[in-house]
């Protein structure tokens, strides 16, 4: 058997390694194409007062991989003066299309009425398999 010199053996290993990588690369690309994308959610500002403060309407933009089912939970808290706090929460089933969608969620006040021209803390929580997303921010109530 013939012994290969240092340069030739390195070249043989490089060619063999390249062949192995070339055969595996299409499989790796296919796996990444099937991997789910991230879920995203954003509370849009401002939110709209409804029924003299009995509720607020919150527009929420979201994106999630095509899954079934997915749920959007929205909660709101607002200081309304005199040490009082208006709160509320609502949930809504949403459809994940793989792209960005915007839905309006009506959040009813549960103890005190929401007030116009006052900031509210709003949190949106998107529960969509295989991952979730949360956004929370202070927004104006119009």
């Amino acid at each position: 058997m013939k012994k290969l010199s240092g340069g030739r053996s390195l070249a043989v290993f490089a060619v063999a390694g390249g062949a192995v990588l070339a055969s595996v690369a299409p499989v790796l690309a296919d796996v990444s194409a099937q991997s789910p994308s991230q879920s995203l959610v954003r509370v849009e500002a401002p939110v709209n007062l409804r029924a003299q403060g009995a509720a607020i309407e919150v527009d929420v933009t979201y994106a999630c991989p095509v899954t079934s089912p997915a749920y959007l939970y929205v909660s709101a808290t607002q200081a309304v003066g005199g040490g009082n706090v208006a709160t509320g929460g609502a949930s809504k089933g949403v459809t994940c299309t793989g792209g960005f969608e915007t839905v309006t969620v009506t959040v009813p006040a549960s103890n005190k009425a929401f007030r116009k021209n006052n900031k509210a803390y709003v949190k949106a929580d998107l529960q969509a398999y295989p991952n979730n997303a949360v956004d929370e921010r202070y927004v104006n109530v119009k």
Side-chain angles (χ1 to χ4, degrees):
M1 179 168 194
K2 205 177 205 184
K3 190 173 184 182
L4 296 175
S5 67
R8 284 188 183 169
S9 61
L10 186 57
V12 169
F13 286 120
V15 169
V20 169
L21 284 176
S23 67
V24 174
V27 173
L28 293 175
D30 188 40
V31 168
S32 68
Q34 294 173 1
S35 298
S37 62
Q38 281 296 110
S39 292
L40 304 167
V41 67
R42 179 181 170 88
V43 173
E44 301 296 340
V47 300
N48 296 309
L49 191 72
R50 291 291 175 244
Q52 297 177 350
I56 56 173
E57 288 182 339
V58 181
D59 288 336
V60 179
T61 300
Y62 70 93
C64 46
V66 178
T67 60
S68 177
Y71 294 93
L72 184 61
Y73 300 93
V74 178
S75 62
T77 305
Q78 182 187 52
V80 293
N84 294 313
V85 177
T87 61
S91 62
K92 185 173 197 167
V94 295
T95 302
C96 293
T97 63
F100 286 98
E101 303 291 334
T102 300
V103 296
T104 300
V105 179
T106 301
V107 178
S110 62
N111 54 349
K112 296 284 184 185
F114 291 107
R115 293 208 178 148
K116 193 174 192 173
N117 298 323
N118 197 6
K119 292 248 186 203
Y121 168 79
V122 180
K123 179 179 178 183
D125 186 0
L126 176 65
Q127 302 287 315
Y129 180 81
N131 42 40
N132 305 318
V134 175
D135 183 41
E136 48 192 58
R137 63 188 63 236
Y138 289 98
V139 295
N140 251 350
V141 177
K142 296 271 182 181

